[in-house]
Amino acid sequence: MKSRAEEIKNIAGKQFDLCVIGGGATGSACALDAQLRGIRTVLVEAGDYAGATSSAATKIIHGGVRYLEEAIKGADVQEYHVLVRALQERVCMLENAPHLTRKLEFLVPSYKWIDVAYLDIGLKIYDWLAGPGRISPSKFLSEEETLRRMPELNPKGLLGGVAYADGQFDDARYNVTLVQSLTVAGGNALNYARVTDFQRGADGKIAGIVVKDRLTGETFMVGAKVVVNATGPVSDAIRQLATPTVRRRMRPSKGAHILLPLDVFPTEDALLIPKTEDGRVLFAVPWYGRLLVGTTDDEVEPGAELVVTKADIDYMLRHLNHYLARQVTPDDVVSGFAGARPLVASGEEGDGTKKLARDYVIEIDGASGLISIMGGKWTTHRAMAEDTIHAVQRALGVPQTESSTRNHVLFGGLGFTDDYWKQFCRDQAISEATAHHLATKFGTAGGEALALGRENAALLEPIVAEHPAIRAEVVYSVRKEMAATIEDVLARRLGIQLYSWRTAIEAAPVVGSLMAAELGWSDAATHTAITGYVEKIHHLLDAAGLPRKRSSAKAD
Ligand SMILES: Cc1cc2nc3c(=O)[nH]c(=O)nc-3n(C[C@H](O)[C@H](O)[C@H](O)COP(=O)(O)OP(=O)(O)OC[C@H]3O[C@@H](n4cnc5c(N)ncnc54)[C@H](O)[C@@H]3O)c2cc1C
């Protein structure tokens, strides 16, 4: 990626075939698909790439076992199609970014024989529906095997379990990588660029966008023959900006997650809790040395503050503790995050269709020409983009061409192997943990970050003692990934904010001063950036009902 300043020069006042609004999974995938088809594309994002829902997922690449149950119970053919497409998309996600994804086995422990039979049959259907996209076959596990794989599982009354395979991915990094891949393909992208209005042609149709640079306050125009609205849970705001009379369609729902030290429940597999008290599923998934637990489901108003509350933590721990031999308490929680699912009603509000769409909806607004892509999930982002860009080609009046994203290996993925990290250890004097971290966050591009250590050996130092990330990664994120705030680095580029809120507070001054040197921040601006970030993390700890400092000897 180029720097923000360079990218502003490339897009302000310029004309594009397509402008995509929203740099989450959906918008970034749309922009990449279009650019690869030769459509001159610009992507604009109001915050950071993946700054909204796309870094708040459970990080599972899945068809969705819950949706399977709904499809069977409702005998819903369309639901089956949605499921099958998602199952097939899993393979594309796994193959196109091998550094950011992996296959993962999910264990469903069972305490009743009827549940074992129900799950076993259901998961066989899941395998069968996946067809050639099957990852590995589901199987019944004895009580001994289940406890061998999950030794801290509650053994009382345990009969065994059923194991099945899906995938796991690093959502924030996957999103940044989509944008990297877009710029490598010749597209343009700018973060912290909010669309505030549209330019119109004589016929009233959209002919461009008005953008406010949120870091400088400046406003500029960008011309575009077609505009795609990929703004996720807040899509209605852009739809209504285009045509004020359209009714709302988004029905966002908040989902929260927490992270715990992995030693509370050591496991290499994911745990699936099949039925919560509100009839949902809950996951506990190993994640970079932590246990990621989620999620909740509460309808919220668009724009509502999305933080993990004490009630969210109590809900998740209450369910998790049924399955654990040793009980976990809120004091064990090291961090968390919450996001809004971009659920979309199948029809406009007021037309009698209250039902949520099964999957995603592409809407073409006849009055303005705006194309909105709403709903879906991370696993289907590529397929959603493929369909959206078919619609864009129709709107542009050009012949429809095939999407090439199905087999397009993303930035940092080409030539990547599971032992690629060893090369980093050979190149520089870094720990194995750091080499692993670089490989799993940046893929082959980790070498570029590491090369910065040749200019300045101090950049090979860790940012903080308890996390493997090194200072060179901060510099790389600013120079090559458009990171513009401390949170961009700690939350989405390096993952330290997920590892531990309190560790992220410790890391903030180091990251702030490295960013200041790169971006030319004044001392006052650096101080404001660091204190602002620390205040934000304090707010997250307060909302979760957790102490700002560890009171006990226990470390995060
Ligand atoms: C709790 C939870 C768990 C989930 N777990 C999974 C999972 O395990 N697997 C899975 O496949 N899916 C999962 N999902 C679903 C998945 O995360 C979402 O479907 C996906 O991230 C949506 O991406 P998006 O790009 O549509 O929306 P977003 O990521 O929200 O992106 C929209 C972007 O538009 C930008 N924007 C808004 N207004 C403007 C404007 N005026 N100008 C410019 N930009 C603007 C926003 O800043 C935002 O970045 C989960 C979702 C949630 C909430």
Side-chain angles (χ1 to χ4, degrees), residues 152-169:
E152 291 296 328
L153 206 57
N154 182 359
K156 211 168 143 207
L158 182 72
L159 299 170
V162 180
Y164 72 97
D166 261 330
Q168 184 181 37
F169 73 115

Side-chain angles (χ1 to χ4, degrees), residues 195 197 211 232 280 294 297 348 362 438 446 460 482 530:
V195 172
D197 208 346
V211 180
R280 302 173 42 257
D297 192 355
E348 281 197 354
I362 296 172
L438 277 166
L460 298 177
M482 232 183 245
I530 296 168

Side-chain angles (χ1 to χ4, degrees), residues 67 233 249-253 297 340-345 356-357 374-376:
Y67 305 113
R249 294 189 73 166
M250 299 311 295
R251 305 256 300 273
S253 142
D297 192 355
R341 292 176 189 82
L343 304 180
V344 57
L356 289 177
M374 297 171 280

